[in-house]
Amino acid sequence: MKKQALLIVLGCFLVASGIKMLTSVELVIGGTAGMGMILQHITPLSFGTLFFFLNIPFYFLAIIQLGLPFTIKSFISVTILSVMSEMLDYFFVFTIPFPLISSLAGGALIGFGLILLFRCGSSLGGINMLCVYLDKHYGINPGKTLMATDVVIVGSAFFIVGLEKVAYSIIAILVMSHILGRYHKTAPLEKNNKQLIEEENGYKTLPSKTKSSS
């Protein structure tokens, strides 16, 4: 339990650091994190505050679709990330002069941070919870939902940060997605969610028959 808590804190720190790298050069990413990164440009609120409140509506979906333990862990992770983001903004001010480096490093840090959270049965809430809901109730592919929401969120950043920074933001998303796709395949959370969906839809795989001894 102690090890899992430390991994959640480490995962949140990696994600917060990645977001800090991206926001330092006005880059964005998908999901509720991206929404917070965009809204902080047009509101007086900080990213940490926006990210915390943007996730609140999705907890109701998480309780229904993924269970209370997962929701509690996700709430804790979102809270830790929000606090860490505030602390990084307060104690560290830096700007990497090359947006490409920020997009590559930021995307990688966020990707590895999310993997740690997923392996602990947690997440950073938001759009992922919506994807599970739409998949189970309407059969909408989660990948399509994620892609559509990311396109809308990152595309809307064009009016705030410009085309060049949107292009670098897309690079960050691709790096993050590649890392998640490569290393998240055996994560326990993914297996549990897949089994849950199969059971509730009546598609649970029957156990294989054992060979009779001769």
Side-chain angles (χ1 to χ4, degrees):
M1 188 70 179
K2 184 177 180 181
K3 180 181 178 182
Q4 189 177 83
L6 290 174
L7 288 177
I8 288 177
V9 172
L10 177 58
C12 290
F13 177 75
L14 291 177
V15 174
S17 300
I19 290 174
K20 179 66 176 176
M21 282 192 171
L22 296 180
T23 55
S24 68
V25 288
E26 298 185 325
L27 303 186
V28 298
I29 205 161
T32 48
M35 294 168 64
M37 294 162 81
I38 293 172
L39 289 174
Q40 72 175 346
H41 287 282
I42 58 178
T43 69
L45 300 176
S46 64
F47 168 80
T49 302
L50 288 165
F51 183 72
F52 180 83
F53 285 107
L54 284 171
N55 276 287
I56 290 177
F58 295 101
Y59 293 132
F60 298 102
L61 289 177
I63 292 174
I64 298 172
Q65 304 304 321
L66 299 173
L68 186 60
F70 172 79
T71 306
I72 292 174
K73 286 184 179 181
S74 296
F75 176 80
I76 292 172
S77 297
V78 168
T79 303
I80 292 174
L81 177 61
S82 299
V83 173
M84 283 186 171
S85 297
E86 294 289 333
M87 292 177 65
L88 287 175
D89 286 339
Y90 184 79
F91 290 108
F92 298 98
V93 178
F94 67 94
T95 301
I96 299 175
F98 305 104
L100 179 60
I101 296 177
S102 292
S103 65
L104 294 173
L109 286 171
I110 294 172
F112 284 117
L114 288 175
I115 288 171
L116 291 179
L117 294 175
F118 291 157
R119 291 186 182 279
C120 293
S122 181
S123 77
L124 291 177
I127 305 300
N128 290 331
M129 297 174 177
L130 177 63
C131 289
V132 174
Y133 176 82
L134 293 177
D135 180 35
K136 292 176 65 176
H137 288 270
Y138 301 101
I140 300 175
N141 186 285
K144 293 181 179 179
T145 303
L146 280 175
M147 181 177 291
T149 54
D150 284 350
V151 167
V152 172
I153 292 169
V154 177
S156 64
F158 167 76
F159 301 99
I160 300 173
V161 299
L163 181 59
E164 181 181 2
K165 291 181 179 178
V166 166
Y168 285 120
S169 299
I170 293 173
I171 292 175
I173 292 174
L174 292 175
V175 171
M176 180 192 69
S177 300
H178 174 73
I179 290 173
L180 288 174
R182 184 176 180 84
Y183 297 105
H184 176 48
K185 293 179 181 178
T186 58
L189 177 60
E190 182 176 312
K191 291 181 179 180
N192 292 340
N193 287 344
K194 182 178 180 182
Q195 183 180 10
L196 177 64
I197 292 173
E198 288 177 348
E199 289 176 354
E200 292 192 1
N201 286 282
Y203 299 131
K204 185 175 181 181
T205 306
L206 294 176
S208 56
K209 295 181 179 179
T210 55
K211 293 182 180 180
S212 58
S213 56
S214 56

